[in-house]
Amino acid sequence: MKKLLIFILGGITLFSCKKNLSDLNQDPKHPTEVPAATLLTAAQKSLGDVMGTPDYAFNPFNLFAQYWTQTTYTEESNYDMQFHSVPDNLWRALYSQAWMVSAPNPDVYSEILSALHAAKVGLQKDNSPANETAKQNQLAVVDLLMVYAWSTLVNVYGDIPYTQALDPDNLQPAYDDAATIYDDLLKRIDNDLDQIDINDEGFGSADVIYYGDMNAWLKFANSLKLKLGMMLADVNPSKAATVVSEAASADIFSSNDDNALLRYESVTPNTSPLYIQLVTTGRKDFVGCSTLIDAMNALNDPRIGMYYTDSAEAGEGNYAGAPYAENNSYGAWSHIGDMLLDPQFPTDLLDYTEVELLLAEAAERGFSVSGSAEEHYNNAIRASIAYWGGSDADADDYLAQEAVAYTTAAGSWREKIGTQKWIALYNRGLDAWTEWRRLDYPVLTPPAGMSQSDIPVRLTYPVAEQNLNGSNYNAAAAHIGGDRTSTKLFWDVR
Amino acid sequence: MKKQSLHPNPLIIIRLLFLALLTNLSCLAYAEGKPVRGQVLDETGHGLPGARVSAGETAIATVTDDEGKFSLEVPVTTRILVIQALGYERQEVEITQAPLLIRMQVQQQALGEIVVTAYGIRRNKNDLPYSAQKINGQEITATRESNFINALQGKVAGLDIERNNNLGGSTNVVLRGIKSIDGNNQALFVVDGVPVDNSNTNTYLQQIGSVGYDYGNAAADINPDNIESVTVLKGAAATALYGSRAANGVILITTKKAGRPGFGITVNSGFTTGSIDKSTWIKYQKEYGGGYGPYYESPDGYFLYRDILGNGVDELVVPTSEDASFGARFDNSTMIYDWKSLDPNSPYYHKKTAWKAAANDPSSFFVKPFSSNLSITAAGANEDGGFSVGYTRTTDKGITENSSLIKDMVNVSGSYKLTKKLSVSASANVSSINGKGRNNTGYNGSVAGNFRQWWQTNVDIKELREAYFREKGTNATWNYLDPDYLFPIYWNNPYWNIYENYENDSRLRSFGNITVNYAATDWLDIVARAGMDAYHEQQEERNAVGSVETPSYSRYNHNYSEMNYDLIANFHKQLSDAFKLSGLVGTNIRRTHHESVFSITNGGLVIPGFYALSNSVNLLAPPEEIDERVGVNGIFAGATLDYQSLLIADLTLRRDRSSTLPKSHDAYYYPSASLGFVFSKLLPENNILTFGKARLNYAEVGNDAPAHSITDLKYPRAPFQGQPVYHIGYTKNNEDLKPERTKSTEAGLELAFWRNRAGLDFTWYNTHSVDQIMAIPVSGATGYNYKYVNAGDIRNSGMELSAFIAPVKTRNFSWMININYARNRNKIMKLPDIDNIQLVNWGTPTLNAALGQPYGIIRGTDYVLDEKGNKIVDETGHYLISETADNIIGNTNPDWTGGVSNTLKYKSVTLSFLISIRKGGDVFSVDRWFGLSTGLPAETVGNNDLGNPMRNDIDDPEHPGGIILDGVKEDGTKNDIRIPVEYGTFGDAYNPDKAFVYDASYVKLRELSLSYSLPAKWMQELRYVKNIEISFVARNLWIIFKNLPDADPEDGFSSGNYQGFQSGSMPTARTYGFNLKFNF
């Protein structure tokens, strides 16, 4: 019997010594290190997903801009942002990670600043000489995308954690003053511009926006600088004038070919977020909104047939939008245009049309840019019509109208540029809402029972910030003048 | 009852079974029975009725009659009779030819039952210096609950069991409160000394009530009919020897084994059926139909206005896309076209009907549940060994159609003495669980949520059923997008959901052990044991082509295995007349391996109705793979020093090394010290206090980290534009983790009175769980959503009381009451850097672990109150809602829980019933949050203070509607502003979250059974059959008291840490049926 016991004892000892215990804790299915390029691709796709999604839990801004309105569940159209936790979702989608689409649709995650930050850290650690020249370009691309994301966060919330952010060792990052963040973002763009060498490699095909073309990134940097500079035009005109004229005199977007687009594939989960939300889910949450459709009908806008389908009620070739924020039946009104439902429909992050309209505005403000406001205005409209598939003749006819032509269109330059920018920024609700806040045009329709001043001019901070970062949240709320949707951002002084 | 009526078929089957067994087990040959007669006498020499007389340890038994007399036919091999009676010492007598005369001795310490403690050590309960409560197998099977865990509810003080109404649904099992903020808080299940996995594989989304099926817990695979007893070890002192996983308490299960020589067979067969408890289902208003308000095309705005017949006349059409009931008032004279008249395949096509409330509301969707069980166990033994075999099959059909859960369970165990010193034993349990049509839970998936939150009261559920069966393959639904677009906008036909979009699952499991016991000397035993628990499970889910959801098929395959190797030396030595020392030294090696693959089709299904991954429209995304191994090596020692059974001291120490911790901190110790003092030994003989013991103990146990929580990992996603994509994940891992610890102090008092007519067991405890390992939610601005840290402190303190009393005990009639009561107070004493951890986010309402508060408080928006506590309304007359959502609006923890069971016996009739009680604790009802908004419950209609229908237009010149909310205006005067009753008035849109927090208290008649054992004298005329018991069993007969309207306050989504929310709550089924038990 002793032999048996020795055998058992021996067996147990043998088993326990066979393997180092901590080796068991290695994950055989997930790596600890990956190339920075794989994180860049993830961040670029995520940026396209977040900016392009019509999911009202993340991006309700096509409603805010009154391009669309909801059919049955009208919470977001009525500016109820808490119902689907919009502030929390968008915050996490930009900063850390958010689960945007879950099974049974293939999962789609957003990971932007966190992924870019990890890519940056990875690149900085990579000291292989072979990569030295590309590394500077790669760091610049990563940083430019971060600037884009940071400016988006500021434009939505105001003060945000910035200098202390993206550091998991500091679980309660303090908020920074929004204007100070803007100053730093502009410095970073300048720094990136210095760092870019257009003769060197970038990320190559892992860069799914410009495919490694550093000249395109240089133009992107200047165009982004132009846009951020113009954001300061009302609050700090002298700084805006300097930044805008610097950017305008450098190499910026000069045609639709320069547009920063995230192009999707034909099959899920890599289709456009519009396709996922509007086609594969089968939901019919949106119809065209009368605010834009009425305006476009009045201007005989050639883009209307791309933006919307015709309406069953109005008849073939006619477009009718539903009243904003009311309970609407899907069948009666114009729907979102077929072009937007193509699985490959790209997300437009920054484009030539926008640049031309910024230049038009710069000319009106007396900033030092070449060309007249009218020239830039016309270039913008032509570019936009071309982008949506219209012809030169369409553009000519459109511009020939009294209500459109720059010299004859009604209102101040703010109204003229504001209205055309609003039309041109279709499906880019966040930018349209930002420009509406800055230019105060067009006049939007408040939902029933609300007034113009009830239309949000920012999102409140996430509920999670109240719970997880309470003292910094309170300080930030006090600093901006209250965590309300009616608190104007620092650049929104008019 | 005539004996002939009992003779036919069952007996023939049993005889055949007998033959089969006999052929295989010739060594245990069974011959004809022999009769044994006798009389049992009490201490005064009078006949003792109601005593149980059995042939050895077999089920062959009878009960003495009024005069204490008995007669029993026992197998010829049986040499010993066992006599047991409440309040008397157990007696064993040898069978003689002459009638037996047995005098019983009064038991001095009736609580002194044998309980199984850690590592299978059997101890007398009187000697235990810590709290342990034992439940016998009969109590578990009394009402034929197929999941034995549910049958423990209300029977153990401090064992908090929360079940839900899902078929085969998961059951939350927590002892003495939540100890781990982020980790597992479920008790450890141990069968015959070997841990058995009880995890549930429900997804995170399912657990937080979003969407997903409830697949139940794995411990439901344990065969209730094979359970001899269950011992619940609640505190750390009792469990410290189990190391890492014992912090949450242990449920020790001892399976049935062959005992003393003899042979017996037990057959159980029964069925239950039932109906839904209407108090747990919504009562619909019958006055207004589908719509959100007067927003549509008809002149009054409540209907679409379309030329349905193509005759140029616009007609009223129900706005089918609108999933609310704030539409037009029902009126038999209004003729409308509804969903069924739009469907060209319907016999109602293009036929107008009157606008009226549905004849069959969704309560008709639920059907009678039915379950049946058959179980056969056989056991036999001789001097050298014994065996036990069992087979059980249970079939459950749920309260929705197309749902079933079938369990087949086989158990084999045996033991054999190889030599005088060496014996071996083994047991194997194999179970096969097959589920189909479990219900989809939560806000986004459940049919019940559809009915409770988003429904049109004009829709007749039977017409939907007819439409589904008439038009199989098409999703003809009430929720068409538009008369011009006949496909569902948000909701499928509910029958489509259960017949087309169903899940199915299977789990094949085996667990068991092999044990070698070597009695080295008379004071030393060495036990070597290898235990295994392994299962494979598969879950398949589908969304058919034609559903609202993207058509899909997904498949989840999960393998789990756990091996445990124990080598233990047990010693016991009488040191002197007064001192006795016993103890153990041992080692435990544990290896668990958990691996799974999940894959889902991408972009739809090519061939409708064909469910395979290869049927995906687009290429599959990479499957999600999980592969986790955990190893723990432990050594332990324990000693018990007993001084004259007066003072008993226990000391234990265990050291574990775990693979999940960083190498530098991977070893840790669990000490415990306990003292028991049987003070009644010092008291003079008396007739009042029979037994008294005080206990005091201190222990520390710990939890290791989850696998893979030390180093940061990257996660692959589908490549984009041909480029590989990795994500960094949302949780920041931590290289500095150390084990979390629970420090526990416990004191207790056990008393028995009046020769054990009454007794109580009281325990007070206080635990601190410190250095918690948790993935705390962090501000997204950190770049992560969660981070693993080692911090925090949760205190649980509470008391438990279990008591029994036998108010009546006469010859023919006895009444026994058992009471269990527990209260636990949980408080979060420390959190790392933050003052709140958000556990679940439902929008503004959230479930939280907040500093200084109990785990599981509900935060959200609240009313704004004036100094006097009046609710303030704004200028529109609606309640002001707090600007912030961090107000504490509820606490999900009960104040106390309890159970009272009564057993009444009259001759051979036994009636027992269990009342279980939960006092306090809150639940947030998502069902009411939205259901009141959409105008479904009856309380959303009726007359206002003016006597007019409150849904009337507020500006109606003759009969204005609207209501005035109870409250004050901002200037402090009483509210007099009339608000319209419209979508949202009573629900989420215009009310703070606080309005939907309800008290989850309940008093339930949980179990009832009435059983009758056929008289022993009838049995004598039936050869072989020793006992027949017929019983009526019932569960959930009556919710005596509750405060939550329209739902069962106990219902939840899943087991786990996220409790206290309801969305799509299933109604509770009352079940009742019959069971027949034969002993041979």
Side-chain angles (χ1 to χ4, degrees), chain A residues 149-171:
Chain A
W150 285 121
S151 64
T152 304
L153 275 165
V154 172
N155 291 346
V156 171
Y157 299 97
D159 291 4
I160 52 162
Y162 177 69
T163 50
Q164 295 184 10
L166 306 181
D167 173 10
D169 290 330
N170 177 6
L171 297 185

Side-chain angles (χ1 to χ4, degrees), chain A residues 1 9 20 25 31-32 72-73 92 96-97 105 111 166 168 172 263 265 268 270 280-281 327 465 467, chain B residues 322-323 422 548 550 567 602 618 659 663 708 714 719 721 728 730 778-779 781 785 787 833 838 859:
Chain A
M1 282 315 113
L9 201 65
N20 193 338
N25 204 28
T32 53
T72 304
Y73 310 110
R92 291 210 187 267
S96 52
Q97 189 183 68
N105 296 298
E111 195 170 80
L166 306 181
Q172 299 195 296
R263 295 166 184 84
E265 298 180 41
T268 51
N270 293 330
T280 64
T281 66
N327 204 289
E465 284 293 296
N467 287 325
Chain B
E322 306 298 86
D323 48 1
L422 188 69
V548 165
T550 306
L567 183 64
N602 178 8
N618 300 326
S659 67
K663 227 175 164 183
H708 306 159
K714 306 289 189 292
Q721 296 190 9
I728 60 172
Y730 50 81
V778 295
S779 162
N785 293 345
K787 182 186 178 184
D833 299 336
Q838 197 174 293
R859 286 183 154 183

Side-chain angles (χ1 to χ4, degrees), chain A residues 32-44 111-112 114-126 131 134-135 138-139 141-142 145 202-203 206-207, chain B residues 714 723-728:
Chain A
T32 53
E33 298 294 336
V34 293
T38 63
L39 298 167
L40 176 95
T41 311
Q44 289 185 333
E111 195 170 80
I112 299 171
S114 55
L116 292 168
H117 179 72
K120 188 173 173 178
V121 171
L123 286 169
Q124 283 165 344
K125 271 199 286 191
D126 179 6
N131 203 38
K135 181 172 158 180
Q138 290 176 350
L139 280 167
V141 168
V142 168
L145 289 163
F203 275 108
D207 165 9
Chain B
K714 306 289 189 292
Q723 302 300 314
V725 171
Y726 271 94
H727 277 204
I728 60 172

Side-chain angles (χ1 to χ4, degrees), chain A residues 327-338:
Chain A
N327 204 289
N328 295 298
S329 64
Y330 181 81
W333 308 107
S334 286
H335 305 150
I336 296 160
D338 292 341

Side-chain angles (χ1 to χ4, degrees), chain B residues 277-318:
Chain B
D277 181 336
K278 291 268 170 99
S279 78
T280 60
W281 189 246
I282 176 172
K283 278 156 281 293
Y284 293 90
Q285 54 92 359
K286 294 179 183 302
E287 295 179 32
Y288 297 83
Y292 275 88
Y295 302 122
Y296 315 107
E297 299 155 3
S298 66
D300 67 359
Y302 284 109
F303 296 96
L304 302 178
Y305 209 44
R306 303 285 172 90
D307 178 9
I308 289 293
L309 305 178
N311 58 4
V313 180
D314 281 343
E315 313 238 26
L316 299 178
V317 182
V318 176

